[in-house]
Amino acid sequence: METKIFKPDQVSEAAELIKQGQLVAFPTETVYGLGADATNEQAAGNVYAAKGRPSDNPLIVTVSSIEMVEQFAQPLTDQVKQLMTKFWPGSLTIVLPLQPGKLSKTVTGGLDTAAFRMPANQVTLKMIATAGVPIVGPSANTSGKPSPTLAKHVYHDLNGKIAGILDDGPTQVGVESTIIDMSTAVPTILRPGAVTVEQLEAVIGAVKADHHHVKANEIPKAPGMKYKHYAPSAQVEIVDHVNDFQSAMDWAGQQREAVGVMATDDVLANLQLPANVEAFSLGADVQSATHLLFAGLRHFDLESAVKVIFAEGFANEGLGAAYMNRVDKSAGGMHFTNE
C-alpha cells in the first residue's frame, strides 16, 4: 500500500478514504492520531493491526460536534455538558456510558463505555464533518513507541500500512489529552494531560485520580493504563534532582556507547557534557518540556544511536503530572541513582 501525504487543502480526499473504510492519520493539537470510521468494525479492527495494538486497549472516538457524541452516548449530564462547553474543542477526552449496541466491541475493547474527544484542529474537524462519521483516534504510531508530533514520525512507523497522512505541521501541546471518566459516581482522571486537575475542579468540583495498576486480565477504560508506552529503543532513565545530572554525565562519559540527555536549558548550560553525550533541549520550563518530550524521544530513536537517554524530572503537579506520567512510562519506571 502506498501511504499518501495530504495537505490541509486536500481534506476532502482524506475524508473520502475514511468513508471507504481506509486508515488516515490526522493532526490534533496534542499528537497525530490514526483515524478510521468508528462505525465500521472492520476498519476499526485494521487500526489495531496497523499499530500492533492489543485488542483490549480501547480506542478513543474522535468527533467534530457534540451532536455526534449524542448519537452514541447515554444522555449527557449537566457536568458533562459543562466540560464540553469549557474544554471542547481541546485536550480533554471524556469517558461516557454508551447506548446499547451503538458502537462495536472492537472500538470499546468490550466495555459499555467509550472515550470521546473533539480536538482543537480545524483541518481534522473538517475531515470528520466531511466524512460524516466519528473516527477512532489512537496515536498514529507503532504501539508502545513515542507518540508522533510530526507527520514524518507517522510516516516512519506506518508507511505502507495506512492509506494516508493528513499533514498540518507540528502539534502544539505535544502530549495526549487528559482523560476523565464521567461514567463513575466521582469523576476520575484516568490519564493526566494538558487540562489539569485544577482546571477541571474549577468547572465541576472535586475529581480523583486513578493510579491503580491494571491487571493482566482487566480491560483498561482508557488508553495508556495497562501497557508500556512511549518507549524509544534506548533505555530512558529519569533524573529526579538537578544536582544528580552531573553524576549522570560522569557515568555517561565512562561508557563506550553514545548517550542522550534531555533537559531544560538552565540544566544543560551548567553541565559538562562528555564527547559521547548528545543533548536535546526541552526548552525553558515544564510547559516547553511537555511540548518537546515526544519530539526528543523520537529524535534519539530516529537520528541517533544512543543506548541510554537521561530525561529531566519535574514536580508531579499541574502540567508536570502529564509530563511525568509519559516519561515514567517511557522509562518503565527507571530512575537514575548515583549510588
Side-chain angles (χ1 to χ4, degrees), residues 26-29 33-38 59-65 68-69 72 88 90 93 103 107 115-121 124-125 127-129 133-139 177:
F26 61 92
T28 76
E29 79 283 14
L34 181 55
D37 181 351
L59 299 170
I60 288 175
V61 180
T62 308
V63 300
S64 59
S65 67
M68 196 172 273
V69 177
F72 302 93
W88 278 16
T93 296
L103 282 174
V107 173
F116 292 88
R117 165 156 137 79
M118 187 194 299
N121 181 283
T124 288
L125 294 180
M127 183 184 74
I128 297 170
V133 291
I135 60 176
V136 296
S139 55
S177 59

Side-chain angles (χ1 to χ4, degrees), residues 53-253:
R53 181 186 179 97
S55 60
D56 66 348
N57 200 7
L59 299 170
I60 288 175
V61 180
T62 308
V63 300
S64 59
S65 67
I66 294 175
E67 290 74 22
M68 196 172 273
V69 177
E70 293 174 328
Q71 295 175 30
F72 302 93
Q74 297 278 0
L76 305 181
T77 66
D78 289 342
Q79 281 192 323
V80 168
K81 291 177 182 178
Q82 289 170 344
L83 290 175
M84 291 176 172
T85 298
K86 177 67 176 179
F87 297 110
W88 278 16
S91 303
L92 182 67
T93 296
I94 306 173
V95 175
L96 299 171
L98 291 169
Q99 300 175 40
K102 285 290 189 175
L103 282 174
S104 80
K105 300 296 184 183
T106 301
V107 173
T108 66
L111 300 172
D112 57 5
T113 58
F116 292 88
R117 165 156 137 79
M118 187 194 299
N121 181 283
Q122 292 303 312
V123 173
T124 288
L125 294 180
K126 183 177 179 180
M127 183 184 74
I128 297 170
T130 302
V133 291
I135 60 176
V136 296
S139 55
N141 58 327
T142 299
S143 188
K145 285 296 183 181
S147 296
T149 56
L150 293 169
K152 73 174 184 178
H153 298 159
V154 181
Y155 192 83
H156 175 270
D157 280 16
L158 300 178
N159 178 32
K161 298 180 181 180
I162 64 176
I165 302 169
L166 185 55
D167 184 357
D168 192 32
T171 63
Q172 289 78 50
V173 177
V175 297
E176 301 90 344
S177 59
T178 303
I179 299 179
I180 186 167
D181 188 356
M182 296 300 291
S183 70
T184 54
V186 179
T188 303
I189 294 177
L190 304 181
R191 182 178 72 186
V195 178
T196 65
V197 172
E198 293 78 11
Q199 290 173 311
L200 291 167
E201 290 187 333
V203 177
I204 61 170
V207 301
K208 66 177 183 178
D210 183 350
H211 298 300
H212 90 279
H213 178 71
V214 178
K215 302 178 180 65
N217 61 350
E218 183 181 355
I219 298 174
K221 272 191 145 180
M225 296 183 69
K226 183 174 183 179
Y227 299 97
K228 187 176 182 182
H229 277 61
Y230 322 121
S233 298
Q235 174 62 53
V236 177
E237 295 190 24
I238 303 168
V239 182
D240 293 300
H241 306 289
V242 171
N243 294 339
D244 290 336
F245 258 107
Q246 193 57 57
S247 296
M249 294 302 95
D250 293 343
W251 176 90

Side-chain angles (χ1 to χ4, degrees), residues 211 224 227-232 235-238 240 293-294 297 311-314 316 320-335:
H211 298 300
Y227 299 97
K228 187 176 182 182
H229 277 61
Y230 322 121
Q235 174 62 53
V236 177
E237 295 190 24
I238 303 168
D240 293 300
L293 174 63
F294 288 146
L297 295 175
E312 183 175 352
F314 290 90
N316 195 19
Y323 174 93
M324 291 304 295
N325 172 270
R326 304 317 192 274
V327 75
D328 187 66
K329 288 181 182 294
S330 73
M334 184 170 290
H335 294 248

